[in-house]
Amino acid sequence: MSSQTRSPNAELGLLDATMIGMGAMIGAGIFVLTGLAAQIAGPAAIVVFALNGVVTAFTGLSYAELAASIPKSGGGYAFVREIFDDLSSFIMGWMLWFAYMIAGALYALGFAPNFLELLHVYGVVAPPDQVGALAVPVVDAAVPVAFLLAFVAVLALVALNAVSTAASGSAETVFTIVKVSILVVFVAFGLTSPMFSGAEFQPLFSEAGGAAAVLPAMGLTFIAFEGYDLITTVTEEVQNPRENIPKAIFISLAATVVVYLAVVTVAIGTLGAEGLADAGEAGIAAAATSFMPTGLPVIRNGGALIVFGAVFSTLTALNAVVIASSRVAFSMGREEQLLPSFGQLHHRYGTPFVAILASAVVMLGSVALPTQSAGNMSSLFFLLSFVIVNVAVIRLRRERPDMNRPYEMPLYPVPPLVGIGLNLVLTVVLVEYLIRTDPLALGLSVGWILLGGVAYLLLDRAGNRPEPGPSTGSEMTPGGED
Amino acid sequence: MPSDLDVIIAGGGRVGFQTATILADRGHDVTIVERDERVVDGIADEWVATVIEGDATDPGIVEQAGIERADVVAALTGESGLNLAVCLAAAELNPEIRTVARIDSASDEAYTRFVDAVLFPERAGARLAANQIIGSDVQTLADTTGDLDIMLVRVAEGAPAAGKQLTEVRFPAGTLVISDEEGNSISRPDTELAAGSRYLVAVEPDVVDEVMNLLQG
């Protein structure tokens, strides 16, 4: 009989699960956002990454508790769907979907300058800042090369994922080891380089913004810590999930923070906050080219290794969020919160084709945004969805006190309350910062929420959720609370 | 037709747990209500369903299991009376819900006045026992399968694979569509998966969810 067959391939150990989480966090974020953070906060970018690690840790506790007690491989949306009524869970899914899509645009935008830097290291093209726009002869308009590259990268990965089912988790482990090794090389050379011995971290806070500039920089770089959501999507394949999932979340988060701090410290110590800021999305790559040895065989230039790491990281991260965003849309389709076609596999390709295509449209459109706007918007939506995840933990404890919780967070209800508070503070700071500096990003964010409201009403009216029993009484308030 | 059912199973013992496992493999949402703490721990280790620890006849506990949103409640404990009580209470709390009760005698009719369906595991068990006693020449489906599921699946209107020929559909590895539309010959590459028709399909447990998605949407 079919006993114990649900997870015949429960073969991911604690190490693999940890690597999946680290792989998602260590990657594009550190390469792309360090320069931008330095631009806002100066040398205090180090503080920015440290504090963000702390803020995320509180939500990490909530994720650990939910992942251990709700056996669903769907990440944040699946948990919230289990607990909240139709509208709240729809909003959660809608926001998370957007966060992932914009993250995709962000990684594509980070890929482009790093790829140009790589070509430059090999002498194929001029330094990135001199690669201008590609003149399009017919329409008499110039398309920036970086934009074109980002667009092509998204298109290629979307096409790949649309027609073939994704690579397995074991590839992810290899990717992560490659990325971490490259960063370790970076840190090792940086610490021993003569540039670092004269490192100057004073004044820690930039003159323009002062200590307050740390907060908007935290908002911008928050997305770098979003990755452990991905661990909860493979729980089914993890051995002894109720112990290993919480552990994997905490270990990967701690390890990521350590790596980030080392990398940012070295980058600022060598290139200086201003130099980093000037290099923008290619900050780490520029720092590496400045102190890595040159004249090596094959790779010619030690910096090329790091630049390759940046290109590799942004591409793998882009691939991961293409999958992640389409999976959220797919789950929403399964739950009949989007058109049912989103929740269907394509008969020929066996992939969630419609969900991938829809995600691709938004990603391709977002590639036209400035990198910083993409980072800000993605962070904003992750912050909001993390607030909901923390609320979900509290609500689940109150409404279902007798639910079996293999992992219970310590000091409940302090961690989720602190998590909600800190995430909201960052949200407010970020929104305030956007009002001042980037109204376009804010407008688009609000527009997406409004679009969601319209979509929800239309689907509701079209009777997309027509089943007699389950969802008509959408208000689920068993405990008599609200 | 809801593709994913929200199912509450009262009783996480052998019958309840196996049922939950099969349903979860097919992509349905399962919540188990179980009284015994040790059984609860065992289920948690397998990570197939959310578990509410408590007595399924307690309305507070059933509400924690999300009775308002559930499509089906299956009372699968070893006590018929208890199972009946759970189903009646559930139908009271959510009139739309489908109720399934496990009974301990063959007297189906007595119960079907109160619940939508009954099951009598001993009868299925007896069939399997007969299979084993006779040997391997003739077996009912339930026992030929080992880990495989061999199922009759009706192709739903509007499902991704509906109206397509077998060659056009990429089923995941571990799937075999056995019969053609009428069920009287073996499927061929050009066999069409007609909506509304039933096909005999053999599937490995890991991919049941995907196959169901393709055939049922």
Side-chain angles (χ1 to χ4, degrees), chain A residues 5-6 71 81-82 84 242 334 343 345 347-348 400 402 404 470, chain B residues 4 45 48-51 53 64 69 71 147 160 164 169-170 213:
Chain A
T5 52
R6 176 155 166 83
R81 179 70 186 147
E82 174 95 4
F84 285 101
R242 62 177 180 162
R334 296 301 290 162
L345 300 175
H347 70 275
R348 170 147 286 176
R400 304 190 190 178
D402 296 306
N404 183 50
Chain B
D4 296 347
D45 279 334
V48 292
T50 26
V51 187
E53 191 180 323
Q64 286 186 44
R69 285 207 302 193
D71 300 299
D147 281 352
K164 305 283 191 310
V169 181
R170 185 194 286 181
N213 190 325

PDB file of all heavy atoms in Angstrom, chain A residues 5-6 71 81-82 84 242 334 343 345 347-348 400 402 404 470, chain B residues 4 45 48-51 53 64 69 71 147 160 164 169-170 213:
ATOM      1  N   THR A   5       4.781   7.409   1.317  1.00  0.00           N
ATOM      2  CA  THR A   5       5.296   7.693  -0.007  1.00  0.00           C
ATOM      3  C   THR A   5       5.274   9.171  -0.326  1.00  0.00           C
ATOM      4  O   THR A   5       5.692   9.581  -1.377  1.00  0.00           O
ATOM      5  CB  THR A   5       4.457   6.996  -1.078  1.00  0.00           C
ATOM      6  OG1 THR A   5       3.102   7.336  -0.840  1.00  0.00           O
ATOM      7  CG2 THR A   5       4.651   5.518  -1.013  1.00  0.00           C
ATOM      8  N   ARG A   6       4.759   9.953   0.602  1.00  0.00           N
ATOM      9  CA  ARG A   6       4.587  11.349   0.255  1.00  0.00           C
ATOM     10  C   ARG A   6       5.929  12.016  -0.055  1.00  0.00           C
ATOM     11  O   ARG A   6       6.030  12.815  -0.960  1.00  0.00           O
ATOM     12  CB  ARG A   6       3.911  12.094   1.380  1.00  0.00           C
ATOM     13  CG  ARG A   6       3.804  13.564   1.076  1.00  0.00           C
ATOM     14  CD  ARG A   6       2.670  14.180   1.833  1.00  0.00           C
ATOM     15  NE  ARG A   6       2.769  15.618   1.813  1.00  0.00           N
ATOM     16  CZ  ARG A   6       2.352  16.363   0.826  1.00  0.00           C
ATOM     17  NH1 ARG A   6       1.828  15.813  -0.232  1.00  0.00           N
ATOM     18  NH2 ARG A   6       2.455  17.671   0.863  1.00  0.00           N
ATOM     19  N   PRO A  71       1.977  22.402   6.809  1.00  0.00           N
ATOM     20  CA  PRO A  71       2.736  21.633   5.817  1.00  0.00           C
ATOM     21  C   PRO A  71       2.353  21.989   4.388  1.00  0.00           C
ATOM     22  O   PRO A  71       1.697  21.225   3.708  1.00  0.00           O
ATOM     23  CB  PRO A  71       2.358  20.183   6.118  1.00  0.00           C
ATOM     24  CG  PRO A  71       1.501  20.219   7.317  1.00  0.00           C
ATOM     25  CD  PRO A  71       0.971  21.593   7.452  1.00  0.00           C
ATOM     26  N   ARG A  81      -2.817  32.400   3.337  1.00  0.00           N
ATOM     27  CA  ARG A  81      -4.052  31.858   2.768  1.00  0.00           C
ATOM     28  C   ARG A  81      -4.738  30.919   3.757  1.00  0.00           C
ATOM     29  O   ARG A  81      -5.954  30.840   3.824  1.00  0.00           O
ATOM     30  CB  ARG A  81      -3.725  31.104   1.470  1.00  0.00           C
ATOM     31  CG  ARG A  81      -4.910  30.468   0.786  1.00  0.00           C
ATOM     32  CD  ARG A  81      -5.830  31.509   0.196  1.00  0.00           C
ATOM     33  NE  ARG A  81      -7.045  30.917  -0.335  1.00  0.00           N
ATOM     34  CZ  ARG A  81      -8.223  31.528  -0.327  1.00  0.00           C
ATOM     35  NH1 ARG A  81      -8.341  32.729   0.191  1.00  0.00           N
ATOM     36  NH2 ARG A  81      -9.279  30.948  -0.827  1.00  0.00           N
ATOM     37  N   GLU A  82      -3.934  30.218   4.513  1.00  0.00           N
ATOM     38  CA  GLU A  82      -4.469  29.272   5.489  1.00  0.00           C
ATOM     39  C   GLU A  82      -5.203  30.004   6.608  1.00  0.00           C
ATOM     40  O   GLU A  82      -6.097  29.451   7.234  1.00  0.00           O
ATOM     41  CB  GLU A  82      -3.296  28.456   6.049  1.00  0.00           C
ATOM     42  CG  GLU A  82      -3.626  27.512   7.188  1.00  0.00           C
ATOM     43  CD  GLU A  82      -3.913  26.098   6.700  1.00  0.00           C
ATOM     44  OE1 GLU A  82      -3.777  25.855   5.495  1.00  0.00           O
ATOM     45  OE2 GLU A  82      -4.278  25.256   7.529  1.00  0.00           O
ATOM     46  N   PHE A  84      -6.097  33.745   6.733  1.00  0.00           N
ATOM     47  CA  PHE A  84      -6.910  34.933   6.545  1.00  0.00           C
ATOM     48  C   PHE A  84      -8.062  34.707   5.566  1.00  0.00           C
ATOM     49  O   PHE A  84      -8.066  33.725   4.818  1.00  0.00           O
ATOM     50  CB  PHE A  84      -6.051  36.086   6.028  1.00  0.00           C
ATOM     51  CG  PHE A  84      -5.192  36.690   7.087  1.00  0.00           C
ATOM     52  CD1 PHE A  84      -3.858  36.365   7.173  1.00  0.00           C
ATOM     53  CD2 PHE A  84      -5.730  37.566   8.005  1.00  0.00           C
ATOM     54  CE1 PHE A  84      -3.054  36.910   8.148  1.00  0.00           C
ATOM     55  CE2 PHE A  84      -4.940  38.123   8.981  1.00  0.00           C
ATOM     56  CZ  PHE A  84      -3.601  37.788   9.058  1.00  0.00           C
ATOM     57  N   ARG A 242      10.426  19.589  10.741  1.00  0.00           N
ATOM     58  CA  ARG A 242      10.034  20.420  11.885  1.00  0.00           C
ATOM     59  C   ARG A 242      11.239  20.856  12.708  1.00  0.00           C
ATOM     60  O   ARG A 242      11.157  21.791  13.467  1.00  0.00           O
ATOM     61  CB  ARG A 242       8.997  19.725  12.739  1.00  0.00           C
ATOM     62  CG  ARG A 242       9.429  18.445  13.377  1.00  0.00           C
ATOM     63  CD  ARG A 242       8.291  17.956  14.242  1.00  0.00           C
ATOM     64  NE  ARG A 242       8.613  16.718  14.903  1.00  0.00           N
ATOM     65  CZ  ARG A 242       7.949  16.263  15.949  1.00  0.00           C
ATOM     66  NH1 ARG A 242       6.945  16.961  16.420  1.00  0.00           N
ATOM     67  NH2 ARG A 242       8.269  15.126  16.494  1.00  0.00           N
ATOM     68  N   ARG A 334      -4.526  28.575  -8.354  1.00  0.00           N
ATOM     69  CA  ARG A 334      -5.056  27.343  -7.766  1.00  0.00           C
ATOM     70  C   ARG A 334      -6.138  27.651  -6.743  1.00  0.00           C
ATOM     71  O   ARG A 334      -7.105  26.925  -6.600  1.00  0.00           O
ATOM     72  CB  ARG A 334      -3.945  26.552  -7.051  1.00  0.00           C
ATOM     73  CG  ARG A 334      -2.840  26.035  -7.902  1.00  0.00           C
ATOM     74  CD  ARG A 334      -3.293  25.116  -8.976  1.00  0.00           C
ATOM     75  NE  ARG A 334      -3.774  23.819  -8.511  1.00  0.00           N
ATOM     76  CZ  ARG A 334      -4.527  23.013  -9.260  1.00  0.00           C
ATOM     77  NH1 ARG A 334      -4.899  23.390 -10.458  1.00  0.00           N
ATOM     78  NH2 ARG A 334      -4.904  21.850  -8.813  1.00  0.00           N
ATOM     79  N   GLY A 343      -3.511  29.016 -12.589  1.00  0.00           N
ATOM     80  CA  GLY A 343      -3.218  27.853 -11.755  1.00  0.00           C
ATOM     81  C   GLY A 343      -3.125  26.564 -12.543  1.00  0.00           C
ATOM     82  O   GLY A 343      -3.163  25.484 -11.964  1.00  0.00           O
ATOM     83  N   LEU A 345      -1.219  24.011 -15.389  1.00  0.00           N
ATOM     84  CA  LEU A 345       0.020  23.693 -16.094  1.00  0.00           C
ATOM     85  C   LEU A 345      -0.264  23.673 -17.588  1.00  0.00           C
ATOM     86  O   LEU A 345      -1.363  23.341 -18.020  1.00  0.00           O
ATOM     87  CB  LEU A 345       0.525  22.319 -15.656  1.00  0.00           C
ATOM     88  CG  LEU A 345       0.837  22.170 -14.174  1.00  0.00           C
ATOM     89  CD1 LEU A 345       1.209  20.726 -13.861  1.00  0.00           C
ATOM     90  CD2 LEU A 345       1.988  23.089 -13.792  1.00  0.00           C
ATOM     91  N   HIS A 347      -0.290  22.149 -21.160  1.00  0.00           N
ATOM     92  CA  HIS A 347      -0.361  20.728 -21.499  1.00  0.00           C
ATOM     93  C   HIS A 347       0.884  20.252 -22.224  1.00  0.00           C
ATOM     94  O   HIS A 347       1.275  19.099 -22.119  1.00  0.00           O
ATOM     95  CB  HIS A 347      -1.606  20.439 -22.328  1.00  0.00           C
ATOM     96  CG  HIS A 347      -1.551  21.002 -23.721  1.00  0.00           C
ATOM     97  ND1 HIS A 347      -1.909  22.303 -24.001  1.00  0.00           N
ATOM     98  CD2 HIS A 347      -1.161  20.446 -24.879  1.00  0.00           C
ATOM     99  CE1 HIS A 347      -1.749  22.518 -25.287  1.00  0.00           C
ATOM    100  NE2 HIS A 347      -1.292  21.416 -25.854  1.00  0.00           N
ATOM    101  N   ARG A 348       1.531  21.157 -22.946  1.00  0.00           N
ATOM    102  CA  ARG A 348       2.697  20.717 -23.712  1.00  0.00           C
ATOM    103  C   ARG A 348       4.009  20.868 -22.943  1.00  0.00           C
ATOM    104  O   ARG A 348       4.897  20.039 -23.044  1.00  0.00           O
ATOM    105  CB  ARG A 348       2.786  21.507 -25.015  1.00  0.00           C
ATOM    106  CG  ARG A 348       4.087  21.297 -25.758  1.00  0.00           C
ATOM    107  CD  ARG A 348       3.906  21.352 -27.233  1.00  0.00           C
ATOM    108  NE  ARG A 348       3.256  20.164 -27.724  1.00  0.00           N
ATOM    109  CZ  ARG A 348       2.900  19.987 -29.000  1.00  0.00           C
ATOM    110  NH1 ARG A 348       3.114  20.923 -29.871  1.00  0.00           N
ATOM    111  NH2 ARG A 348       2.315  18.877 -29.378  1.00  0.00           N
ATOM    112  N   ARG A 400      -6.362  29.499  16.721  1.00  0.00           N
ATOM    113  CA  ARG A 400      -6.188  28.051  16.752  1.00  0.00           C
ATOM    114  C   ARG A 400      -5.180  27.666  17.829  1.00  0.00           C
ATOM    115  O   ARG A 400      -4.093  27.165  17.522  1.00  0.00           O
ATOM    116  CB  ARG A 400      -5.716  27.540  15.394  1.00  0.00           C
ATOM    117  CG  ARG A 400      -6.644  27.948  14.290  1.00  0.00           C
ATOM    118  CD  ARG A 400      -6.295  27.246  13.021  1.00  0.00           C
ATOM    119  NE  ARG A 400      -7.042  27.824  11.917  1.00  0.00           N
ATOM    120  CZ  ARG A 400      -6.915  27.427  10.667  1.00  0.00           C
ATOM    121  NH1 ARG A 400      -6.070  26.461  10.370  1.00  0.00           N
ATOM    122  NH2 ARG A 400      -7.627  27.981   9.715  1.00  0.00           N
ATOM    123  N   ASP A 402      -5.086  25.255  19.750  1.00  0.00           N
ATOM    124  CA  ASP A 402      -4.799  23.828  19.881  1.00  0.00           C
ATOM    125  C   ASP A 402      -4.102  23.243  18.664  1.00  0.00           C
ATOM    126  O   ASP A 402      -3.923  22.033  18.559  1.00  0.00           O
ATOM    127  CB  ASP A 402      -6.095  23.055  20.133  1.00  0.00           C
ATOM    128  CG  ASP A 402      -6.714  23.463  21.458  1.00  0.00           C
ATOM    129  OD1 ASP A 402      -6.008  23.398  22.463  1.00  0.00           O
ATOM    130  OD2 ASP A 402      -7.887  23.880  21.458  1.00  0.00           O
ATOM    131  N   ASN A 404      -1.239  21.990  16.407  1.00  0.00           N
ATOM    132  CA  ASN A 404       0.063  21.436  16.750  1.00  0.00           C
ATOM    133  C   ASN A 404       1.172  22.298  16.150  1.00  0.00           C
ATOM    134  O   ASN A 404       1.189  22.541  14.951  1.00  0.00           O
ATOM    135  CB  ASN A 404       0.147  20.006  16.215  1.00  0.00           C
ATOM    136  CG  ASN A 404       1.431  19.348  16.594  1.00  0.00           C
ATOM    137  OD1 ASN A 404       1.821  19.366  17.756  1.00  0.00           O
ATOM    138  ND2 ASN A 404       2.117  18.780  15.621  1.00  0.00           N
ATOM    139  N   PRO A 470     -17.447  26.570   0.035  1.00  0.00           N
ATOM    140  CA  PRO A 470     -16.233  26.997   0.686  1.00  0.00           C
ATOM    141  C   PRO A 470     -16.059  28.491   0.870  1.00  0.00           C
ATOM    142  O   PRO A 470     -15.784  28.928   1.965  1.00  0.00           O
ATOM    143  CB  PRO A 470     -15.131  26.444  -0.223  1.00  0.00           C
ATOM    144  CG  PRO A 470     -15.804  26.108  -1.506  1.00  0.00           C
ATOM    145  CD  PRO A 470     -17.191  25.778  -1.154  1.00  0.00           C
TER     146      PRO A 470
ATOM    147  N   ASP B   4      -9.007  21.912  -5.921  1.00  0.00           N
ATOM    148  CA  ASP B   4      -8.399  21.571  -4.639  1.00  0.00           C
ATOM    149  C   ASP B   4      -9.467  21.593  -3.558  1.00  0.00           C
ATOM    150  O   ASP B   4     -10.098  22.614  -3.338  1.00  0.00           O
ATOM    151  CB  ASP B   4      -7.330  22.597  -4.270  1.00  0.00           C
ATOM    152  CG  ASP B   4      -6.197  22.581  -5.264  1.00  0.00           C
ATOM    153  OD1 ASP B   4      -6.132  21.628  -6.054  1.00  0.00           O
ATOM    154  OD2 ASP B   4      -5.396  23.531  -5.242  1.00  0.00           O
ATOM    155  N   ASP B  45       5.746  14.672  12.240  1.00  0.00           N
ATOM    156  CA  ASP B  45       7.021  14.257  11.638  1.00  0.00           C
ATOM    157  C   ASP B  45       6.887  14.014  10.148  1.00  0.00           C
ATOM    158  O   ASP B  45       7.841  14.186   9.403  1.00  0.00           O
ATOM    159  CB  ASP B  45       7.517  12.972  12.307  1.00  0.00           C
ATOM    160  CG  ASP B  45       8.199  13.272  13.625  1.00  0.00           C
ATOM    161  OD1 ASP B  45       8.721  14.398  13.767  1.00  0.00           O
ATOM    162  OD2 ASP B  45       8.204  12.395  14.505  1.00  0.00           O
ATOM    163  N   VAL B  48       2.392  16.128   6.527  1.00  0.00           N
ATOM    164  CA  VAL B  48       1.413  16.051   5.435  1.00  0.00           C
ATOM    165  C   VAL B  48       0.230  16.975   5.640  1.00  0.00           C
ATOM    166  O   VAL B  48      -0.465  17.308   4.688  1.00  0.00           O
ATOM    167  CB  VAL B  48       0.844  14.630   5.236  1.00  0.00           C
ATOM    168  CG1 VAL B  48       1.902  13.693   4.729  1.00  0.00           C
ATOM    169  CG2 VAL B  48       0.214  14.104   6.497  1.00  0.00           C
ATOM    170  N   ALA B  49      -0.050  17.342   6.884  1.00  0.00           N
ATOM    171  CA  ALA B  49      -1.269  18.113   7.134  1.00  0.00           C
ATOM    172  C   ALA B  49      -1.090  18.957   8.384  1.00  0.00           C
ATOM    173  O   ALA B  49      -0.273  18.633   9.242  1.00  0.00           O
ATOM    174  CB  ALA B  49      -2.455  17.169   7.329  1.00  0.00           C
ATOM    175  N   THR B  50      -1.861  20.037   8.459  1.00  0.00           N
ATOM    176  CA  THR B  50      -1.907  20.752   9.733  1.00  0.00           C
ATOM    177  C   THR B  50      -2.692  19.908  10.711  1.00  0.00           C
ATOM    178  O   THR B  50      -3.632  19.217  10.327  1.00  0.00           O
ATOM    179  CB  THR B  50      -2.610  22.116   9.604  1.00  0.00           C
ATOM    180  OG1 THR B  50      -3.505  22.067   8.518  1.00  0.00           O
ATOM    181  CG2 THR B  50      -1.642  23.214   9.373  1.00  0.00           C
ATOM    182  N   VAL B  51      -2.311  19.958  11.949  1.00  0.00           N
ATOM    183  CA  VAL B  51      -2.943  19.104  12.943  1.00  0.00           C
ATOM    184  C   VAL B  51      -3.489  19.968  14.067  1.00  0.00           C
ATOM    185  O   VAL B  51      -2.793  20.843  14.581  1.00  0.00           O
ATOM    186  CB  VAL B  51      -1.929  18.105  13.536  1.00  0.00           C
ATOM    187  CG1 VAL B  51      -2.651  17.122  14.441  1.00  0.00           C
ATOM    188  CG2 VAL B  51      -1.194  17.377  12.427  1.00  0.00           C
ATOM    189  N   GLU B  53      -4.859  19.566  17.813  1.00  0.00           N
ATOM    190  CA  GLU B  53      -4.882  18.558  18.861  1.00  0.00           C
ATOM    191  C   GLU B  53      -6.122  18.764  19.713  1.00  0.00           C
ATOM    192  O   GLU B  53      -6.290  19.815  20.325  1.00  0.00           O
ATOM    193  CB  GLU B  53      -3.617  18.675  19.712  1.00  0.00           C
ATOM    194  CG  GLU B  53      -3.432  17.503  20.638  1.00  0.00           C
ATOM    195  CD  GLU B  53      -2.165  17.633  21.474  1.00  0.00           C
ATOM    196  OE1 GLU B  53      -1.162  18.138  20.933  1.00  0.00           O
ATOM    197  OE2 GLU B  53      -2.198  17.232  22.635  1.00  0.00           O
ATOM    198  N   GLN B  64     -11.596  25.498  15.001  1.00  0.00           N
ATOM    199  CA  GLN B  64     -10.169  25.767  14.770  1.00  0.00           C
ATOM    200  C   GLN B  64      -9.660  25.076  13.512  1.00  0.00           C
ATOM    201  O   GLN B  64      -8.697  25.518  12.897  1.00  0.00           O
ATOM    202  CB  GLN B  64      -9.335  25.298  15.966  1.00  0.00           C
ATOM    203  CG  GLN B  64      -9.453  26.194  17.168  1.00  0.00           C
ATOM    204  CD  GLN B  64      -8.500  25.771  18.260  1.00  0.00           C
ATOM    205  OE1 GLN B  64      -7.345  25.461  18.020  1.00  0.00           O
ATOM    206  NE2 GLN B  64      -8.983  25.763  19.491  1.00  0.00           N
ATOM    207  N   ARG B  69     -14.843  26.970   6.068  1.00  0.00           N
ATOM    208  CA  ARG B  69     -14.300  27.013   4.713  1.00  0.00           C
ATOM    209  C   ARG B  69     -14.108  25.635   4.107  1.00  0.00           C
ATOM    210  O   ARG B  69     -13.721  25.515   2.944  1.00  0.00           O
ATOM    211  CB  ARG B  69     -12.942  27.728   4.730  1.00  0.00           C
ATOM    212  CG  ARG B  69     -13.042  29.220   4.884  1.00  0.00           C
ATOM    213  CD  ARG B  69     -11.867  29.896   4.260  1.00  0.00           C
ATOM    214  NE  ARG B  69     -10.611  29.424   4.852  1.00  0.00           N
ATOM    215  CZ  ARG B  69      -9.445  30.026   4.671  1.00  0.00           C
ATOM    216  NH1 ARG B  69      -9.382  31.094   3.915  1.00  0.00           N
ATOM    217  NH2 ARG B  69      -8.339  29.560   5.218  1.00  0.00           N
ATOM    218  N   ASP B  71     -14.583  21.934   2.468  1.00  0.00           N
ATOM    219  CA  ASP B  71     -15.490  21.326   1.492  1.00  0.00           C
ATOM    220  C   ASP B  71     -16.015  19.979   1.983  1.00  0.00           C
ATOM    221  O   ASP B  71     -17.126  19.590   1.668  1.00  0.00           O
ATOM    222  CB  ASP B  71     -14.765  21.100   0.162  1.00  0.00           C
ATOM    223  CG  ASP B  71     -14.248  22.395  -0.428  1.00  0.00           C
ATOM    224  OD1 ASP B  71     -15.081  23.271  -0.705  1.00  0.00           O
ATOM    225  OD2 ASP B  71     -13.024  22.535  -0.578  1.00  0.00           O
ATOM    226  N   ASP B 147       3.270   1.278  -4.500  1.00  0.00           N
ATOM    227  CA  ASP B 147       3.233   2.719  -4.308  1.00  0.00           C
ATOM    228  C   ASP B 147       2.464   3.449  -5.402  1.00  0.00           C
ATOM    229  O   ASP B 147       2.130   4.609  -5.255  1.00  0.00           O
ATOM    230  CB  ASP B 147       4.658   3.278  -4.257  1.00  0.00           C
ATOM    231  CG  ASP B 147       5.279   3.046  -2.889  1.00  0.00           C
ATOM    232  OD1 ASP B 147       4.543   2.594  -1.988  1.00  0.00           O
ATOM    233  OD2 ASP B 147       6.478   3.301  -2.739  1.00  0.00           O
ATOM    234  N   PRO B 160      -6.291  21.698 -18.748  1.00  0.00           N
ATOM    235  CA  PRO B 160      -5.253  21.929 -19.761  1.00  0.00           C
ATOM    236  C   PRO B 160      -5.173  20.818 -20.807  1.00  0.00           C
ATOM    237  O   PRO B 160      -4.920  21.090 -21.985  1.00  0.00           O
ATOM    238  CB  PRO B 160      -3.970  21.991 -18.931  1.00  0.00           C
ATOM    239  CG  PRO B 160      -4.400  22.441 -17.599  1.00  0.00           C
ATOM    240  CD  PRO B 160      -5.766  21.862 -17.384  1.00  0.00           C
ATOM    241  N   LYS B 164      -7.013  17.313 -26.030  1.00  0.00           N
ATOM    242  CA  LYS B 164      -5.709  17.144 -26.660  1.00  0.00           C
ATOM    243  C   LYS B 164      -5.416  15.656 -26.882  1.00  0.00           C
ATOM    244  O   LYS B 164      -5.917  14.799 -26.170  1.00  0.00           O
ATOM    245  CB  LYS B 164      -4.608  17.724 -25.764  1.00  0.00           C
ATOM    246  CG  LYS B 164      -4.830  19.176 -25.379  1.00  0.00           C
ATOM    247  CD  LYS B 164      -4.487  20.092 -26.541  1.00  0.00           C
ATOM    248  CE  LYS B 164      -4.421  21.545 -26.148  1.00  0.00           C
ATOM    249  NZ  LYS B 164      -5.572  22.041 -25.394  1.00  0.00           N
ATOM    250  N   VAL B 169       0.461  16.182 -24.973  1.00  0.00           N
ATOM    251  CA  VAL B 169       0.470  16.524 -23.564  1.00  0.00           C
ATOM    252  C   VAL B 169       1.749  15.997 -22.930  1.00  0.00           C
ATOM    253  O   VAL B 169       2.089  14.831 -23.090  1.00  0.00           O
ATOM    254  CB  VAL B 169      -0.750  15.902 -22.852  1.00  0.00           C
ATOM    255  CG1 VAL B 169      -0.736  16.283 -21.376  1.00  0.00           C
ATOM    256  CG2 VAL B 169      -2.034  16.373 -23.519  1.00  0.00           C
ATOM    257  N   ARG B 170       2.459  16.884 -22.237  1.00  0.00           N
ATOM    258  CA  ARG B 170       3.648  16.406 -21.543  1.00  0.00           C
ATOM    259  C   ARG B 170       3.280  16.058 -20.097  1.00  0.00           C
ATOM    260  O   ARG B 170       3.234  16.909 -19.222  1.00  0.00           O
ATOM    261  CB  ARG B 170       4.741  17.455 -21.531  1.00  0.00           C
ATOM    262  CG  ARG B 170       6.026  16.895 -20.900  1.00  0.00           C
ATOM    263  CD  ARG B 170       7.014  17.943 -20.546  1.00  0.00           C
ATOM    264  NE  ARG B 170       7.666  18.478 -21.738  1.00  0.00           N
ATOM    265  CZ  ARG B 170       8.604  19.417 -21.689  1.00  0.00           C
ATOM    266  NH1 ARG B 170       8.987  19.902 -20.540  1.00  0.00           N
ATOM    267  NH2 ARG B 170       9.136  19.872 -22.795  1.00  0.00           N
ATOM    268  N   ASN B 213      -3.616  18.241 -12.058  1.00  0.00           N
ATOM    269  CA  ASN B 213      -3.717  19.591 -12.607  1.00  0.00           C
ATOM    270  C   ASN B 213      -3.977  19.533 -14.115  1.00  0.00           C
ATOM    271  O   ASN B 213      -4.843  20.234 -14.634  1.00  0.00           O
ATOM    272  CB  ASN B 213      -2.433  20.361 -12.310  1.00  0.00           C
ATOM    273  CG  ASN B 213      -2.542  21.838 -12.641  1.00  0.00           C
ATOM    274  OD1 ASN B 213      -3.216  22.218 -13.601  1.00  0.00           O
ATOM    275  ND2 ASN B 213      -1.895  22.669 -11.864  1.00  0.00           N
TER     276      ASN B 213
END
